[in-house]
Amino acid sequence: MGLIGATDIRLGMLIQHEGKLCSVLKVEHRTPGNLRGFVQARMRDINSGSSYEHRFRTVDKVEQVSLDHKQMEFLYAEGDQYHFMENETYEQLSLPADVLGDAPQYMLPNTKLQISFYEGKPIAVELPTAVELKVVEAEPGMRTATASASKKNAKLETGLSIQVPQFVEVGNIVKVDTRDGSYLDRVG
């Protein structure tokens, strides 16, 4: 276990918060206007299963819990169960949607990710920092818009909706930051 700054909290981490063992389901770094920045985190209490939100000041420290990690590959979803396989042993594992938080919005079959285990029990997934997803729906681009000045809505193949530049079209592959769901680049 070790102390980390609130700004270092990431999706999938396991932290000790107010005496509870919590999995981080969602993290947003916010800096509103003239106010001080903060980190808004959605967490799930591992023992009770209940989810709640907490606002950390950027100077707050939290205790990160040591976990065992396994590199696994996402196979498929069936209802609210997500199936994974460890590539070395071919061991398969099924996790319910509530353990995954927002992760399914970034996962396609064959996505490799880390699954965190605490005392042998799978409790969270850690995604790669960026993933590449295909655009399946996009608003038409404005002809007079400059490439960097304006954004439009686009829906990706996993169902995730993000803001993209005007030049992105249906069928393009875009790189998305899994930490905040932001557009990074067009890759195809």
Side-chain angles (χ1 to χ4, degrees):
M1 293 193 199
L3 288 178
I4 61 169
T7 56
D8 294 324
I9 296 173
R10 299 283 179 256
L11 179 70
M13 275 187 176
L14 190 67
I15 62 173
Q16 193 81 27
H17 181 251
E18 297 177 347
K20 300 178 207 160
L21 192 60
C22 298
S23 173
V24 178
L25 302 175
K26 186 175 185 176
V27 179
E28 289 182 61
H29 298 263
R30 296 185 183 166
T31 312
N34 295 339
L35 303 175
R36 293 201 172 152
F38 62 91
V39 176
Q40 184 77 27
R42 181 156 192 75
M43 300 177 289
R44 182 173 60 83
D45 182 333
I46 296 300
N47 296 321
S48 72
S50 63
S51 296
Y52 64 98
E53 297 216 359
H54 185 76
R55 181 181 290 186
F56 294 96
R57 298 175 306 154
T58 56
V59 295
D60 288 346
K61 299 282 186 197
V62 295
E63 193 168 353
Q64 183 178 6
V65 178
S66 297
L67 301 170
D68 294 324
H69 302 283
K70 285 186 183 178
Q71 179 81 17
M72 299 193 91
E73 183 176 324
F74 171 57
L75 297 175
Y76 63 94
E78 186 175 46
D80 72 339
Q81 292 291 313
Y82 291 80
H83 300 273
F84 300 87
M85 179 180 71
E86 185 176 0
N87 289 332
E88 292 178 16
T89 63
Y90 302 108
E91 172 189 346
Q92 291 195 18
L93 172 70
S94 175
L95 294 175
D98 64 336
V99 170
L100 301 175
D102 289 341
Q105 296 180 60
Y106 303 100
M107 295 181 343
L108 290 174
N110 304 327
T111 300
K112 291 183 179 18
L113 39 78
Q114 292 272 352
I115 296 188
S116 303
F117 292 81
Y118 181 70
E119 297 178 348
K121 179 183 173 189
I123 55 167
V125 298
E126 190 174 325
L127 295 164
T129 306
V131 293
E132 295 178 3
L133 299 169
K134 183 186 281 190
V135 176
V136 294
E137 288 178 26
E139 296 174 355
M142 295 187 298
R143 293 189 187 276
T144 58
T146 60
S148 61
S150 62
K151 303 272 187 188
K152 65 181 183 179
N153 287 322
K155 187 174 181 181
L156 307 180
E157 60 189 310
T158 59
L160 178 66
S161 292
I162 65 169
Q163 293 285 302
V164 297
Q166 293 291 330
F167 59 81
V168 173
E169 299 174 354
V170 171
N172 286 156
I173 306 290
V174 295
K175 187 178 277 191
V176 181
D177 189 325
T178 60
R179 294 169 294 192
D180 60 8
S182 63
Y183 167 88
L184 293 172
D185 197 10
R186 180 175 66 177
V187 293

